[in-house]
Amino acid sequence: MNNEIVACFPQWANYAYAFKYLFEKGFEVKYLLPPPITKRTLELGSKYSPDYVCSPFKYCLGCHIEALEQGANCLAQIYGPCRLNYYGELSEQILRDLGYEFQYFNMASIDWHSRKSIFENFRIINPDMSIVKVVRAVPTALAIIKTLDKFEDYVRHNVGFEVNDGEFDRTYKEFLAKLAEITNGKQFKALKKEYRQKLWAIKTDKPTKTIKVGMIGDYYTVQEPFANYFMEKELAKFGMEIYRTMTFTNSIIHKRGKESIKIAKRYTKYHIGATSNSTIAEAITFARAGCSGIIQVKSFGCTPETDAMPMLQNVSRDFHVPILYFSFDSQTSETGVRTRLEAFYDMVEARRHK
């Protein structure tokens, strides 16, 4: 009988590489990099989810099923400041009703102000863990997250202007493959230095004035490429410079929530929940920075992001910047998304020349 612990988080951007380091070097368990999200992932999640649950739940559930199929036996569930915070129990019950056996680490169950609660929940991952090793692994895991966000931010600003098509994508995938193999902080620092030089050395033909587009939206959908139909890549094909500040680094590590409330206070007096204030603040920031257009992406039925839409319309009016709204679910048409993006580009380009 194999007693090896194999843990896995749901797929969420590229942060799995940081989780892999933390789990393997801190908790001393094997970590399964979740398989990339595909249509099958969404189909599995949709099949066993309640009809009107938001798409991030469906993606997470589908990822967990695929991870269990590949040998995971310890599932970890992300949490958030919205309904996602309550999805852990529901997801666990659905998986157990399907007959799967596993340990379940639900981050929403932890009282982060209580050392006892943290320790007891961490032991779900590995009963024999050393809290000292976990603490030692955290700085490198956080450094990986910050580097991922920094590298991807640079790519977003420049990928639409690369001289050799696909060079940014190939170089970054090469970086991720090597990142999965690091075993200590020293190796990571060397890898970071090497690929910073390689990414920054990629030749671009970038005009002095570019079409800048800001992306805003709910925490999961705006960060997970499959959830928004790889919108950043689609926009880059039009030669647009993409801006997005909703990242793990800004929202979790730097905790810019209070700053967002201050920026958005002209349009909403109160904190209206989840990422909605951040969405409004980011729209204002992008408009002030001279973005030619802004795109809001959200999952279907995301109440906080829906609540933010009237305020976004006011931002659009006051700053004379067009805002395009996308709502994603399992029934969203990929062709429809591309058609709307093409029309958006044509409109922005026409306004810019006018």
Side-chain angles (χ1 to χ4, degrees):
M1 182 178 178
N2 184 12
N3 294 320
E4 182 181 38
I5 300 170
V6 182
C8 186
F9 262 101
Q11 175 71 4
W12 170 28
N14 287 309
Y15 298 125
Y17 294 91
F19 300 147
K20 182 177 188 295
Y21 184 88
L22 177 62
F23 275 64
E24 291 187 347
K25 303 305 170 187
F27 291 103
E28 296 185 298
V29 300
K30 183 177 179 181
Y31 187 85
L32 173 70
L33 283 172
I37 296 177
T38 63
K39 289 183 178 180
R40 179 178 184 268
T41 312
L42 183 55
E43 287 170 359
L44 283 171
S46 300
K47 181 178 180 180
Y48 298 111
S49 297
D51 287 341
Y52 293 103
V53 77
C54 67
S55 53
F57 178 90
K58 298 173 184 177
Y59 284 117
C60 290
L61 182 64
C63 285
H64 273 155
I65 292 174
E66 290 186 324
L68 289 165
E69 289 175 347
Q70 294 189 19
N73 55 24
C74 178
L75 302 180
Q77 174 62 41
I78 58 177
Y79 73 110
C82 58
R83 286 183 294 177
L84 194 61
N85 211 34
Y86 303 98
Y87 283 167
E89 291 85 351
L90 178 59
S91 178
E92 180 182 6
Q93 189 60 56
I94 291 172
L95 292 171
R96 296 205 185 282
D97 288 345
L98 290 174
Y100 293 109
E101 295 182 4
F102 53 90
Q103 294 286 43
Y104 200 76
F105 173 61
N106 184 2
M107 293 180 67
S109 300
I110 303 175
D111 177 1
W112 293 99
H113 300 288
S114 167
R115 293 181 180 179
K116 180 181 178 182
S117 176
I118 294 171
F119 182 75
E120 288 178 350
N121 279 276
F122 279 3
R123 288 192 65 199
I124 295 173
I125 301 170
N126 183 3
D128 300 321
M129 69 160 196
S130 165
I131 197 68
V132 174
K133 291 183 178 179
V134 173
V135 171
R136 285 176 180 172
V138 167
T140 299
L142 292 177
I144 292 172
I145 289 171
K146 291 179 181 179
T147 298
L148 288 167
D149 285 337
K150 184 176 181 179
F151 282 8
E152 291 177 13
D153 195 46
Y154 180 79
V155 172
R156 271 193 292 274
H157 293 172
N158 294 280
V159 67
F161 313 98
E162 59 187 356
V163 173
N164 301 312
D165 289 344
E167 191 170 0
F168 272 110
D169 191 47
R170 288 191 297 272
T171 305
Y172 194 63
K173 285 181 178 178
E174 186 180 287
F175 164 69
L176 293 177
K178 292 184 178 180
L179 182 60
E181 303 301 324
I182 64 164
T183 58
N184 56 60
K186 186 177 180 180
Q187 288 180 0
F188 169 68
K189 288 179 181 178
L191 186 68
K192 173 186 173 182
K193 182 179 180 180
E194 177 188 354
Y195 277 87
R196 188 190 187 283
Q197 292 174 346
K198 286 187 175 182
L199 286 168
W200 267 250
I202 292 175
K203 292 182 180 180
T204 59
D205 183 14
K206 195 172 184 179
T208 304
K209 291 185 178 181
T210 61
I211 300 176
K212 297 181 175 66
V213 176
M215 279 187 65
I216 58 178
D218 79 71
Y219 194 66
Y220 187 91
T221 308
V222 78
Q223 292 187 75
E224 171 50 47
F226 193 95
N228 59 54
Y229 288 44
F230 299 94
M231 188 171 290
E232 292 178 6
K233 287 187 176 181
E234 291 298 318
L235 292 170
K237 291 177 182 178
F238 296 111
M240 291 180 165
E241 187 174 352
I242 303 116
Y243 284 77
R244 170 165 67 81
T245 56
M246 177 58 75
T247 63
F248 193 113
T249 300
N250 291 336
S251 57
I252 304 297
I253 299 176
H254 294 161
K255 296 182 179 179
R256 292 186 179 176
K258 291 183 179 179
E259 180 183 343
S260 297
I261 292 174
K262 289 181 181 178
I263 296 173
K265 66 180 181 180
R266 175 182 170 185
Y267 294 92
T268 174
K269 185 176 180 181
Y270 304 102
H271 179 39
I272 56 178
T275 55
S276 50
N277 285 74
S278 296
T279 291
I280 298 165
E282 287 163 10
I284 295 169
T285 303
F286 290 148
R288 287 173 175 168
C291 281
S292 301
I294 296 170
I295 299 176
Q296 183 205 31
V297 298
K298 65 180 181 67
S299 63
F300 173 77
C302 179
T303 305
E305 289 296 316
T306 302
D307 290 342
M309 290 174 69
M311 279 71 88
L312 291 177
Q313 291 169 357
N314 291 337
V315 172
S316 175
R317 178 200 63 208
D318 293 346
F319 289 93
H320 306 287
V321 58
I323 300 180
L324 180 63
Y325 304 92
F326 278 96
S327 185
F328 290 92
D329 199 1
S330 55
Q331 304 302 319
T332 303
S333 165
E334 188 173 351
T335 303
V337 171
R338 289 176 178 172
T339 301
R340 292 184 66 197
L341 287 178
E342 288 174 8
F344 181 72
Y345 167 76
D346 291 339
M347 178 193 65
V348 169
E349 180 71 0
R351 285 169 58 95
R352 191 166 71 111
H353 285 298
K354 183 178 179 181

